[in-house]
Amino acid sequence: MAKSGERAALHASTADRVASETIGDYLTQTAAVAAAEVQKLYHDPLELFTRAVQPVLWLMLFGEVMARVRGVGPGDIPYLDFLAAGILAQSALFVAIFYGISAIWERDLGVLQRYLVGR
C-alpha cells in the first residue's frame, strides 16, 4: 500500500511540474510576441497615432452628424455617450483582428519560431 501512495504522490508531483512548465512556456511565448509587437510600434509611431485618431474621427465626425438626426435617439442619454461605448468596442475588435492576422502571417513565414529559438 505504501508503494501505491508513493506512486500517486509522484504522479501528482509530475503533473504539477508539467502544468507549471506549460504555463511558463505559454507566458514566455506570449511575452516574446508582445515584445516584438511593442518593438514594431516603437519603430513606427505613425501607426500608434493612426490608431488613436480613428476613434476620435468616428466620435467627432459621425457622432456629431448622427446626433443631429431626429430619428436616431438612444433615449435619455446624449448620443455621443451612447456612441462612445460602441466605438471603444469596435476599436478593440479591430486591433485584435489586425494583431491576429499579423500573428498568422508571422507564423506562416516562420517568424514566430525565430522568436522562440532563444529560449
Side-chain angles (χ1 to χ4, degrees), residues 23-103:
I23 292 170
D25 288 344
Y26 176 76
L27 292 175
T28 301
Q29 293 169 2
T30 303
V33 172
E37 294 298 328
V38 168
Q39 190 175 17
K40 283 182 202 174
L41 283 176
Y42 180 72
H43 287 292
D44 188 13
L46 183 62
E47 183 178 350
L48 188 60
F49 176 74
T50 304
R51 289 182 186 177
V53 167
Q54 183 185 11
V56 172
L57 282 175
W58 275 95
L59 277 173
M60 294 302 141
L61 184 66
F62 295 111
E64 289 297 328
V65 170
M66 295 302 287
R68 299 185 195 291
V69 175
R70 295 260 181 216
V72 178
D76 295 337
I77 62 172
Y79 186 74
L80 290 179
D81 293 349
F82 171 75
L83 190 63
I87 290 173
L88 181 63
Q90 175 189 7
S91 297
L93 182 65
F94 283 172
V95 167
I97 288 170
F98 292 137
Y99 273 123
I101 290 171
S102 173

Side-chain angles (χ1 to χ4, degrees), residues 12-23:
S13 170
T14 304
D16 290 342
R17 187 172 47 243
V18 168
S20 174
E21 289 173 2
T22 303
I23 292 170

